[in-house]
Amino acid sequence: MNIIFATANLHKVEEAQNIIGGGITLHTPADFGYTKEIPETGETLEENAMLKARIIWDALHQNCFADDTGLEVFALNGSPGVYSARYAGPQADSEANMKRLLTELSSHENRSAQFRCVMALIWEGKEFLFEGVIKGNILPERQGTHGFGYDPLFLPQGYTQSFACMSAHQKNAISHRALALHQLKQFLKTVGP
């Protein structure tokens, strides 16, 4: 089975392919000649994920899915949330985003947070949503060098190392994206050949 993952982030595609495993082959929009930037103008993770999936469905008329992921910090009223990738500004990188998060949290004792991933699937023109959540805490300083985004600051509940200390295999066994992708995979098994 072939399906388009509506992203230009090849790291995400590789991670998702490892989680979904054999039998389902992920493609990017670029594989079909679509190279425009896909906007994220929604105000929620759900809106952004569905917006991206609809853009690719409308352009290519192929089964596709998109995700949006946010780090939700409870002491910051759920921020950075839908703005996680651009928390420190539109051109910010992960380093700037982490620095801002640590600054914002410096006066808070409560460091509990969750990563939430929403997957929007358009299959034969019908729309579906799947969600994965992993709870944890924000560390006072970076720990580890693997992963991307806020991984060096996120300590999953029940673990002693950040996402950035874990191998891809370890992280993919428990992550928010993995949880959402497993639901997507189970759904595809019910509709696919």
Side-chain angles (χ1 to χ4, degrees), residues 74-126:
F74 298 110
L76 303 178
N77 299 313
S79 287
V82 72
Y83 303 106
S84 292
R86 49 199 184 279
Y87 192 44
Q91 305 304 317
D93 60 9
S94 294
E95 195 60 34
N97 289 333
M98 286 191 287
K99 188 174 180 182
R100 177 175 178 194
L101 178 62
L102 289 174
T103 300
E104 298 273 332
L105 271 179
S106 62
S107 62
H108 294 277
E109 282 184 36
N110 177 7
R111 299 180 80 85
S112 60
Q114 65 183 21
F115 264 124
R116 192 163 69 90
C117 176
V118 175
M119 297 266 168
L121 169 70
I122 300 182
W123 184 266
E124 305 298 339
K126 293 189 175 126

Side-chain angles (χ1 to χ4, degrees), residues 105-166:
L105 271 179
S106 62
S107 62
H108 294 277
E109 282 184 36
N110 177 7
R111 299 180 80 85
S112 60
Q114 65 183 21
F115 264 124
R116 192 163 69 90
C117 176
V118 175
M119 297 266 168
L121 169 70
I122 300 182
W123 184 266
E124 305 298 339
K126 293 189 175 126
E127 299 177 349
F128 304 89
L129 286 174
F130 307 93
E131 180 185 81
V133 175
I134 183 163
K135 296 186 180 299
N137 287 290
I138 302 302
L139 293 164
E141 58 189 34
R142 293 163 188 77
Q143 183 189 91
T145 57
H146 302 298
F148 58 99
Y150 296 92
D151 285 357
L153 293 179
F154 187 77
L155 178 68
Q157 207 169 60
Y159 290 82
T160 57
Q161 3 175 247
S162 77
F163 268 167
C165 290
M166 297 179 179

Side-chain angles (χ1 to χ4, degrees), residues 26-60:
L26 302 184
H27 297 276
T28 66
D31 295 338
F32 295 88
Y34 188 95
T35 56
K36 296 179 195 170
E37 187 171 336
I38 304 172
E40 295 187 2
T41 55
E43 293 185 15
T44 65
L45 299 177
E46 291 81 359
E47 284 177 19
N48 268 348
M50 193 56 76
L51 174 72
K52 292 187 275 188
R54 285 176 183 151
I55 287 170
I56 296 307
W57 172 263
D58 290 344
L60 302 174

Side-chain angles (χ1 to χ4, degrees), residues 5-39:
F5 187 178
T7 182
N9 183 332
L10 296 180
H11 180 86
K12 261 195 203 182
V13 176
E14 181 183 349
E15 184 181 80
Q17 186 66 70
N18 287 337
I19 293 166
I20 280 194
I24 299 170
T25 302
L26 302 184
H27 297 276
T28 66
D31 295 338
F32 295 88
Y34 188 95
T35 56
K36 296 179 195 170
E37 187 171 336
I38 304 172

